[in-house]
Amino acid sequence: MSSWAYANEGSSSGEGGMEYLEITPKITVNLAEPRSYLLVNIQLLAEGPQAIEKLKKHMPAIKHELIMLFSGRSTDSIQTMEQREALRKETAAAIKKTLEHYENSDGFRDAFFSEFLISY
């Protein structure tokens, strides 16, 4: 069975367990090339209701950091699977750093791209 199947498992009381939180709306930024943009749908993986509430509370700061992280990149720097995976890891690190700045990152586990579109 895939490890993805376990993401929403937890006790019926809502304590513990892993849960995904989608960043909405999708993040859209201009890239370095004229008339090029990146659209990203990001899912955050967190453990426990307190972590989800913390992510929701600090979502404006998280979105700001991600917009700054993605903006102005060249299309050549995000073409390959390896480059996109590196950007995903940078994304998770930026979220963790933002949470640590305001509170703590306890419960935040990872970030995943569920949509990644480069428009030329």
Side-chain angles (χ1 to χ4, degrees), residues 7-71:
N8 286 321
E9 287 186 6
S11 67
S12 59
S13 66
E15 293 184 21
M18 300 291 233
E19 189 175 338
Y20 288 100
L21 175 65
E22 182 176 10
I23 294 179
T24 57
K26 299 171 187 174
I27 295 178
T28 306
V29 297
N30 292 316
L31 295 173
E33 293 79 10
R35 295 184 303 272
S36 295
Y37 68 88
L38 171 67
L39 180 138
V40 184
N41 191 0
I42 303 170
Q43 305 284 332
L44 307 179
L45 180 60
E47 187 170 5
Q50 290 177 333
I52 293 293
E53 288 307 310
K54 191 182 327 176
L55 287 165
K56 288 178 181 178
K57 177 181 175 182
H58 298 295
M59 193 58 71
I62 291 169
K63 286 179 182 178
H64 168 78
E65 290 301 320
L66 296 180
I67 289 168
M68 302 311 289
L69 176 66
F70 300 151
S71 294

Side-chain angles (χ1 to χ4, degrees), residues 67-110:
I67 289 168
M68 302 311 289
L69 176 66
F70 300 151
S71 294
R73 289 184 179 256
S74 71
T75 55
D76 289 343
S77 71
I78 52 176
Q79 289 296 319
T80 69
M81 294 292 279
E82 293 81 12
Q83 291 168 327
R84 291 178 185 189
E85 177 62 12
L87 183 58
R88 186 192 70 78
K89 289 178 181 179
E90 284 181 61
T91 299
I95 293 167
K96 183 174 182 171
K97 182 179 176 184
T98 301
L99 291 172
E100 290 291 336
H101 178 76
Y102 293 103
E103 210 168 323
N104 63 53
S105 62
D106 295 349
F108 171 68
R109 296 294 176 246
D110 214 340

